[in-house]
């Protein structure tokens, strides 16, 4: 699979599950763990960026949207009643937009990480020994394909992660908001002793 993704063609490229299994047994199992250092070293910073962008943008988007709805500018003040009806949608909207922004920001690191580690995985042993470091792989990709080569597959990654992140965090924020409303209502109906 990885060889197909990075464009390495070999005459004996397996075409079935059985031949893939035979290829795995014949090959050096260690090559499938090449690039693990790159992935491990970038996984935690990527997650930190994802959560930081998610939380900071969600808070800003939500506060700005609530401010506009509650204190609309003069140009839309005549629609105040309609704007007030949008208040229940502010939290899911801010969660969805923040989730999309977080997905884009994390893919800026994940895609180059995947390109580098996959290139390392498909190198034969002699090439890997001489030019298998992450720095050599980056230099090679940039020399052959330019900086855009580091981001090969970025569009497809966004095609999957952007809607997934937006839908996930919009749903999460909306459900959390609804559950908080139900919880607050339930506690208000309990008589005090």
């Amino acid at each position: 699979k990885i060889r197909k993704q990075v464009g390495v063609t070999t005459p004996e490229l397996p075409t079935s599950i059985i031949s893939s299994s035979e290829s795995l047994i014949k090959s050096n199992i260690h090559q499938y763990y090449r690039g693990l250092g790159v992935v491990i070293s970038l996984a935690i910073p990527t997650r930190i960026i994802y959560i930081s962008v998610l939380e900071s943008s969600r808070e800003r988007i939500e506060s700005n949207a609530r401010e506009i709805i509650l204190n609309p500018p003069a140009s839309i003040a005549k629609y105040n009643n309609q704007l007030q009806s949008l208040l229940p949608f502010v939290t899911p909207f801010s969660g969805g937009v923040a989730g999309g922004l977080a997905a884009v920001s994390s893919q800026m690191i994940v895609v180059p990480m995947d390109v580098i580690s996959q290139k390392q995985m498909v190198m034969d042993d002699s090439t890997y020994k001489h030019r298998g470091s992450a720095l050599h792989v980056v230099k090679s990709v940039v020399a052959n394909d330019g900086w855009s080569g580091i981001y090969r597959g970025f569009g497809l990654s966004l095609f999957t992660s952007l809607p997934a992140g937006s839908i996930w965090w919009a749903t999460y924020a909306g459900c959390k908001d609804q559950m908080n409303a139900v919880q607050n209502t339930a506690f208000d109906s309990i008589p005090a002793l």
Side-chain angles (χ1 to χ4, degrees):
K1 173 185 163 200
I2 292 169
R3 290 183 187 283
K4 287 183 179 181
Q5 285 178 331
V6 296
V8 174
T9 56
T10 56
E12 63 273 346
L13 196 61
T15 56
S16 70
I17 294 173
I18 294 171
S19 59
S20 295
S21 300
E22 291 171 356
S23 173
L24 181 62
I25 291 168
K26 291 178 186 174
S27 66
N28 181 0
I29 195 73
H30 297 285
Q31 80 183 44
Y32 296 104
Y33 291 97
R34 292 178 187 160
L36 186 62
V38 173
V39 172
I40 289 173
S41 65
L42 292 176
I44 292 173
T46 301
R47 206 67 189 150
I48 291 169
I49 289 170
Y50 184 92
I51 297 299
S52 299
V53 169
L54 176 75
E55 290 301 324
S56 65
S57 61
R58 184 189 53 76
E59 290 172 6
R60 286 186 184 139
I61 292 166
E62 186 169 358
S63 66
N64 288 339
R66 285 192 188 284
E67 179 65 29
I68 289 171
I69 289 173
L70 295 174
N71 302 310
S75 59
I76 60 171
K78 62 183 176 181
Y79 302 108
N80 194 24
N81 290 337
Q82 292 88 349
L83 288 172
Q84 296 296 321
S85 67
L86 296 175
L87 274 173
F89 302 107
V90 169
T91 300
F93 171 77
S94 63
V97 173
L101 291 171
V104 171
S105 65
S106 69
Q107 289 302 311
M108 296 291 288
I109 298 173
V110 168
V111 170
M113 175 183 72
D114 284 345
V115 168
I116 293 166
S117 66
Q118 289 174 359
K119 292 279 188 186
Q120 287 176 322
M121 286 181 209
V122 298
M123 289 180 172
D124 60 29
D125 290 335
S126 63
T127 305
Y128 182 75
K129 286 178 184 172
H130 294 96
R131 294 182 303 236
S133 72
L135 185 58
H136 278 103
V137 172
V138 170
K139 286 180 182 179
S140 172
V141 170
V142 170
N144 294 333
D145 301 328
W147 283 102
S148 62
I150 294 291
Y151 287 95
R152 179 175 286 141
F154 185 71
L156 188 58
S157 292
L158 283 184
F159 185 73
T160 58
S161 65
L162 184 65
S166 296
I167 292 168
W168 171 268
W169 289 110
T171 304
Y172 172 80
C175 289
K176 182 179 173 188
D177 204 32
Q178 292 298 313
M179 289 172 70
N180 284 339
V182 169
Q183 182 181 14
N184 291 340
T185 305
F187 285 130
D188 290 343
S189 64
I190 298 173
L193 296 175

